Amino acid sequence: MFLLFVVLTLSVPQQPREVVEAYEVCQKFQTLMAEDLDFNRAFEATFTKSPLRRREIAIAEGEFGNIDTAQVNDALLIDAFKSRMQILYLMMPLMSPDTRRDEAVFFPPRIKAIFERKPPKRPSRFRAFSLQLRRDAAYLRAHLERLAKDRPDVAERIRKFKEEMLATKLEPPADVVKPLTAYSRGRVLGLDEPYYQIGEYAVVREGNEMRIIGIRFFTRLF
């Protein structure tokens, strides 16, 4: 029996340590987001620390139209991207209102204006745009908190949304996960640079850490 156990144990492939860590960093992102829907905090804890990669993520995922991003500095691009992602997460608990009356309450004109906001066409206007997105995110959070305080059904929507994020467990499969190349999201990685696709997350090694470089599960609104 002992020999059979050893044989069976040896036949099960072992995931490389970096694969296990890749799954862990994705799970950490979901856990942090489920606490308070704070994208900035989760981003800083789990995403790439490379300023160049952060800039390229913002350009690839921020959907800033045809603006000449070469004339916009890193901080503004990254901040605008994080604000847009924050807006997206805060909007999710309000999706699919039960009635038209609920829709009007969930998405009054000022909130709709946030989702309809377009990026500027001139780089010189991007700073104002980025600052406005930050204000939009703060206003949307306050709106969501007011609704949750006044309406138990909204509080329940938020609770369920957070609960679902926590319930989505990311664990390595039985088969060994191998790295991919030719990452297709902008210029975040070179064609030959390896990364792991962990569900909806793309993850790379940076020094001694595994770091997220992209999330692709939301239907984009912008």
Side-chain angles (χ1 to χ4, degrees):
M1 281 294 292
F2 176 75
L3 180 60
L4 178 60
F5 173 78
V6 171
V7 171
L8 290 174
T9 301
L10 292 175
S11 67
V12 177
Q14 295 293 313
Q15 295 288 358
R17 181 58 195 168
E18 70 176 21
V19 171
V20 175
E21 291 175 357
Y23 275 83
E24 288 175 348
V25 75
C26 297
Q27 190 69 61
K28 182 178 181 180
F29 175 86
Q30 292 188 172
T31 299
L32 289 173
M33 285 301 301
E35 289 178 4
D36 52 11
L37 302 182
D38 187 340
F39 180 80
N40 182 68
R41 183 169 75 107
F43 178 92
E44 294 299 332
T46 61
F47 266 68
T48 174
K49 293 181 179 178
S50 163
L52 178 59
R53 283 178 176 167
R54 286 186 170 205
R55 176 185 175 87
E56 293 301 331
I57 290 169
I59 293 171
E61 307 291 351
E63 298 190 6
F64 299 133
N66 296 321
I67 192 171
D68 182 4
T69 55
Q71 298 185 49
V72 182
N73 70 43
D74 296 359
L76 290 177
L77 285 168
I78 294 166
D79 197 55
F81 160 72
K82 290 196 290 186
S83 292
R84 282 200 147 177
M85 291 299 291
Q86 181 64 81
I87 289 167
L88 189 56
Y89 271 98
L90 292 172
M91 179 276 304
M92 292 302 290
L94 299 177
M95 286 292 289
S96 302
D98 295 325
T99 67
R100 288 187 177 181
R101 184 177 181 180
D102 282 347
E103 182 175 2
V105 173
F106 291 1
F107 302 107
R110 184 167 175 180
I111 296 299
K112 284 185 177 181
I114 292 174
F115 303 128
E116 295 169 357
R117 196 175 307 286
K118 303 298 182 184
K121 295 181 179 180
R122 290 180 293 175
S124 61
R125 301 295 302 275
F126 199 89
R127 177 180 296 277
F129 172 69
S130 182
L131 292 173
Q132 181 60 57
L133 287 180
R134 186 184 293 189
R135 290 192 292 269
D136 287 345
Y139 184 82
L140 179 56
R141 181 178 290 279
H143 172 68
L144 187 63
E145 290 174 351
R146 284 193 298 269
L147 286 176
K149 183 178 179 180
D150 295 339
R151 296 186 48 157
D153 60 322
V154 173
E156 179 65 10
R157 279 172 168 264
I158 297 170
R159 187 195 68 77
K160 284 186 176 180
F161 179 64
K162 292 178 177 179
E163 185 179 74
E164 288 172 3
M165 293 189 71
L166 284 175
T168 304
K169 300 300 182 183
L170 296 170
E171 299 176 347
D175 296 333
V176 173
V177 177
K178 296 182 179 180
L180 306 172
T181 55
Y183 186 67
S184 62
R185 312 289 288 187
R187 298 185 300 178
V188 179
L189 296 180
L191 288 177
D192 296 330
E193 290 186 87
Y195 72 98
Y196 291 96
Q197 190 65 48
I198 309 298
E200 315 297 347
Y201 303 90
V203 183
V204 298
R205 171 167 290 285
E206 285 188 351
N208 296 323
E209 298 179 304
M210 301 303 290
R211 288 274 160 175
I212 298 171
I213 57 170
I215 307 175
R216 66 182 187 189
F217 50 39
F218 281 137
T219 300
R220 304 311 295 271
L221 302 177
F222 309 106

